[in-house]
Amino acid sequence: MLSTARLLTLAALALTSATFTACSDDKEVAAPKYDVPATYTFANVNYSGQQTRLAMLGELDAYIKTANTGAVLDAQKLQNMYANTNNPFAASALNTAGKQLRDKTLSTVRAEYDGYLKDVATASLSANLPATNGTAGRLTSADGTKKYLVNAKGVELGQLIQKGLMGAVFYYQAVDSYLTDDQIGNAVDNKTVTPGEGTAMEHHWDEAFGYFGAPTDFPTNLTGLTYWANYSNQVDPALKSNKTMMDAFLKGRAAISNNDMTGKTAAAAALRTEWERVVAASAIHELNAAKGAVADQALKSHYLSEARGFVMGLRYKGDRKISDAVQAQVLAKIGDNLYLTTGTDISAALDLLSTAYGFDAIKGTI
């Protein structure tokens, strides 16, 4: 029989061994070493569906803008373009792509955008008439170079639709779907490789990048920026968002491909935070422009319509920084009748947004 002292010695040795083994295991699961490329040139990348929808919004927006020069819009064509039915697009590849904007719009606001499309078609019936408070038509800038179709309350619905769908489709799908645990969480398949698409986790990350609208060598290359990448570049002098966004996209995709789930999670969090900041800064950017054009109703309506679309977009992220109450206050200050919006109102909207996002030090430079 072993003595009590001998048993205690063996127990101590066993504890020491167990502790050493645990430390060894910790070392074995340390983050893997890997290189992060300078451009989005990974193996098996496909975000063609996102590029298709960006192109669809481009055609829809271009068609709506024909009313700025007097065209009457076809209400059914607008709905067809939104839902991709009856071959509405000039680019035939869009008609046969099997993709659409409407089914990717946040479900709770689809009917809202159906309504905006109907309303812009109705407003276009007066596209060749001058707009006044209470009457839809065209507003012309003081220098005569800009013409915008507005509704009876001075809202340029074309801009509201474009900026709104940037939020309700592109931003919403990226930050509240693809960059969440449902699509890139650790339970998502990251082993089975589909040629041309990668694993399910890699593909979902790529789709989020597709909705950003940047070239693979952004921000070194600023050619052909669309939608959010374009606006990130516009607010970049104040936010430095270009590098923040692209670095996170690159680091996250590299992390997924190298099974670094900690790195992936950190990159996704950085993207979701910075993308929301870009949306808020884009709204401030347009509000600043409106503040400088209060005396010119055409320009004021144009910029405020853009700002309203961006502010609406902030609600499409579940864990948004701005509260519902403050967002509602911003929209109230912008107003729904843009003829009545004053410079004081615009300044108040700016201050509310700036405070919510910690932009007070830079709000005048965005």
Side-chain angles (χ1 to χ4, degrees), residues 141-327:
S141 62
D143 65 4
T145 63
K146 304 292 185 182
K147 298 179 186 296
Y148 305 113
L149 174 72
V150 298
N151 68 7
K153 294 185 176 182
V155 177
E156 187 186 351
L157 290 168
Q159 286 298 331
L160 192 70
I161 291 165
Q162 186 207 56
K163 270 55 181 185
L165 290 178
M166 282 173 62
V169 181
F170 307 156
Y171 174 64
Y172 161 70
Q173 288 293 334
V175 302
D176 235 37
S177 179
Y178 290 126
L179 295 175
T180 67
D181 280 348
D182 284 346
Q183 300 291 342
I184 59 164
N186 294 353
V188 176
D189 183 8
N190 196 35
K191 295 181 179 179
T192 307
V193 176
T194 300
E197 286 194 355
T199 66
M201 192 185 296
E202 287 174 330
H203 185 50
H204 295 158
W205 189 274
D206 294 338
E207 289 179 304
F209 176 70
Y211 275 131
F212 186 53
T216 57
D217 52 352
F218 179 81
T220 301
N221 178 14
L222 299 176
T223 303
L225 303 182
T226 57
Y227 300 115
W228 289 118
N230 175 47
Y231 269 90
S232 175
N233 192 52
Q234 290 190 48
V235 301
D236 183 68
L239 258 63
K240 309 303 179 189
S241 49
N242 286 356
K243 180 172 170 51
T244 301
M245 292 290 289
M246 194 62 176
D247 281 356
F249 272 124
L250 294 171
K251 289 175 182 177
R253 182 52 156 85
I256 291 171
S257 298
N258 289 277
N259 205 37
D260 174 11
M261 298 297 100
T262 300
K264 169 213 66 180
T265 300
L271 277 172
R272 298 181 79 254
T273 296
E274 190 65 14
W275 206 326
E276 183 181 359
R277 279 164 45 87
V278 169
V279 180
S282 298
I284 289 175
H285 179 72
E286 301 302 343
L287 287 170
N288 278 327
K291 187 176 179 180
V294 173
D296 189 326
Q297 186 61 49
L299 296 181
K300 186 180 80 166
S301 281
H302 176 70
Y303 296 132
L304 288 178
S305 299
E306 292 183 283
R308 189 172 184 87
F310 283 133
V311 175
M312 287 164 48
L314 289 169
R315 66 180 168 174
Y316 305 142
K317 178 170 178 271
D319 61 343
R320 52 194 172 271
K321 184 175 179 64
I322 193 170
S323 69
D324 290 350
V326 172
Q327 189 212 24

Side-chain angles (χ1 to χ4, degrees), residues 8 24 44 54 63 85 89 110 172 214 240 264 268 314 327:
L8 289 172
S24 297
N44 298 309
L54 265 61
Y63 177 59
T85 56
F89 295 105
R110 283 177 198 160
Y172 161 70
K240 309 303 179 189
K264 169 213 66 180
L314 289 169
Q327 189 212 24

Side-chain angles (χ1 to χ4, degrees), residues 287 300 304 329-330 332-335 337 340-352:
L287 287 170
K300 186 180 80 166
L304 288 178
Q329 290 171 27
V330 175
K333 289 299 181 182
I334 293 172
N337 186 330
L340 305 181
T341 307
T342 66
T344 300
D345 294 328
I346 297 170
S347 292
L350 276 165
D351 290 344
L352 286 163

